[in-house]
């Protein structure tokens, strides 16, 4: 899978991709990430990427021409993109579901906005998707681009060492993950739950299911609407719900 990221701060992206699991995936060739400096696609001597907004108002707006030129240069070199994502707080929410969809694509271009935003012709006539990472406003699209690359990358086969861990995680089936512990078994008088030390695999599995369901029920009950549960989980959930309704 290939990502092309277009930004006015390429070093910000490179720094974040220079560590950890994503770096290893890039080094091993499982994932390909190219970072493009938007200024390289300007025509003028001063390499200007922004201008004042038509109609007045504060701040600056990223110009359409260099963004169109960047996408055209990338697709001329590598063939057409499966998706051209504009990062924007006004976009569709980027979720695990969206990450799973994107992980099936070959070639994704991500455009990082800055200042007051991006000339709207980029949204209407260049981007195929407009994605937001949450309901808050950041200074630029670089962190959103990194969030998207990171979440998608770990779903690409071969990026995270243990495929099992991806399948079990929060949101994978619409549930939050169960709690994890590691050594020591007692830390400042805080004990790891006995069941995890018992060696009874069936008990551990059931305890983990119950914990995942309990957490989801108390912290994110909205997720349960779309969760895919097996028979055992449905039974545990019913018991938990009965317990909470008799406690009220
Ligand atoms: N004036 C705009 C915000 C511009 S923020 C508005 O009110 O909608 C500058 C840039 O940061 C945006 O163009 C976008 O690329 C990025 N950005 C900011 N917050 C974001 C978010 N929550 N998700 C994705 N991108 C975001």
């Amino acid at each position: 899978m290939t990502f092309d990221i277009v930004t006015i701060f390429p070093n910000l992206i490179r720094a974040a991709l220079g560590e950890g699991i994503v770096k290893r995936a890039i080094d091993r060739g499982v994932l390909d990430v190219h970072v493009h400096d938007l200024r390289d696609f300007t025509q003028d001597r001063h390499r200007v990427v922004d201008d004042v907004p038509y109609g007045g108002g504060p701040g600056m707006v990223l110009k359409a021409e260099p963004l169109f030129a960047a996408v055209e240069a990338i697709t001329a070199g590598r063939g057409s993109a499966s998706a051209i994502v504009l990062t924007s707080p006004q976009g569709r929410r980027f979720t695990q579901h969206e990450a799973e969809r994107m992980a099936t694509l070959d070639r994704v271009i991500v455009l990082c906005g800055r200042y007051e935003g991006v000339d709207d012709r980029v949204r209407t006539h260049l981007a195929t998707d407009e994605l937001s990472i949450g309901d808050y406003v950041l200074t630029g699209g670089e962190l959103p681009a990194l969030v998207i690359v990171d979440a998608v990358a770990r779903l690409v086969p071969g990026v995270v060492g243990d495929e099992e861990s991806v399948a079990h995680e929060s949101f994978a089936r619409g549930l939050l993950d169960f709690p994890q512990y590691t050594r020591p078994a007692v830390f400042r008088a805080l004990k790891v739950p006995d069941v995890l030390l018992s060696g009874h695999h069936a008990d551990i599995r059931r305890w983990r299911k119950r914990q995942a369901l309990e957490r989801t029920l108390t912290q994110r009950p909205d997720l349960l609407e779309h969760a895919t549960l097996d028979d055992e989980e449905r039974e545990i959930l019913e018991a938990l719900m009965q317990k909470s309704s008799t406690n009220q």
Side-chain angles (χ1 to χ4, degrees):
M1 174 162 194
T2 305
F3 279 102
D4 284 281
I5 303 175
V6 181
T7 169
I8 59 167
F9 294 118
N11 290 336
L12 189 56
I13 303 284
R14 290 198 191 103
L17 297 177
E19 311 258 7
I21 288 180
V22 175
K23 173 188 168 25
R24 253 191 300 143
I26 294 169
D27 289 346
R28 283 187 294 125
V30 182
L31 191 72
D32 212 0
V33 184
H34 302 271
V35 187
H36 307 270
D37 187 341
L38 183 63
R39 292 189 198 281
D40 292 344
F41 302 95
T42 52
Q43 301 289 333
D44 62 305
R45 202 155 53 87
H46 297 290
R47 314 215 308 155
V48 175
V49 292
D50 59 328
D51 207 337
V52 295
Y54 272 120
M60 301 296 274
V61 176
L62 273 193
K63 290 159 68 68
E65 300 107 301
L67 284 163
F68 273 76
V71 169
E72 282 156 11
I74 293 164
T75 53
R78 253 192 283 289
S80 69
S82 332
I84 301 168
V85 175
L86 174 64
T87 54
S88 158
Q90 302 175 17
R92 182 167 81 244
R93 186 73 67 82
F94 181 70
T95 58
Q96 188 69 17
H97 183 70
E98 196 67 44
E100 279 160 12
R101 187 185 69 83
M102 213 178 270
T104 66
L105 305 178
D106 289 340
R107 253 190 279 279
V108 176
I109 299 175
V110 184
L111 307 175
C112 305
R114 274 276 157 179
Y115 315 116
E116 287 304 308
V118 178
D119 186 305
D120 210 49
R121 287 167 286 192
V122 170
R123 180 183 68 83
T124 55
H125 288 84
L126 183 64
T128 60
D129 296 84
E130 188 186 11
L131 293 179
S132 165
I133 63 161
D135 290 346
Y136 36 79
V137 179
L138 300 164
T139 56
E142 287 74 16
L143 291 170
L146 288 165
V147 165
I148 292 167
V149 169
D150 195 284
V152 173
R154 55 201 305 292
L155 297 172
V156 173
V159 170
V160 174
D162 190 349
E163 301 283 314
E164 268 279 285
S165 82
V166 173
H168 279 273
E169 271 164 346
S170 295
F171 310 114
R173 291 180 312 125
L175 292 180
L176 300 180
D177 204 356
F178 50 75
Q180 305 274 12
Y181 298 88
T182 187
R183 279 177 288 201
V186 183
F187 166 70
R188 297 191 181 172
L190 304 172
K191 276 202 73 199
V192 169
D194 284 331
V195 61
L196 296 177
L197 311 175
S198 70
H200 292 308
H201 296 299
D203 289 357
I204 292 171
R205 205 176 39 77
R206 194 174 164 86
W207 180 85
R208 286 181 162 168
K209 279 186 174 177
R210 191 188 151 95
Q211 289 289 323
L213 286 160
E214 214 167 342
R215 284 188 163 192
T216 311
L217 191 59
T218 52
Q219 286 169 210
R220 292 294 306 278
D222 57 299
L223 292 177
L224 288 169
E225 253 175 73
H226 303 288
T228 40
L229 304 181
D230 62 26
D231 290 345
E232 190 182 22
E233 286 165 335
R234 253 191 300 274
E235 184 197 307
I236 298 171
L237 182 61
E238 267 165 39
L240 285 171
M241 286 166 85
Q242 223 146 35
K243 200 177 101 193
S244 74
S245 68
T246 51
N247 283 351
Q248 273 163 15

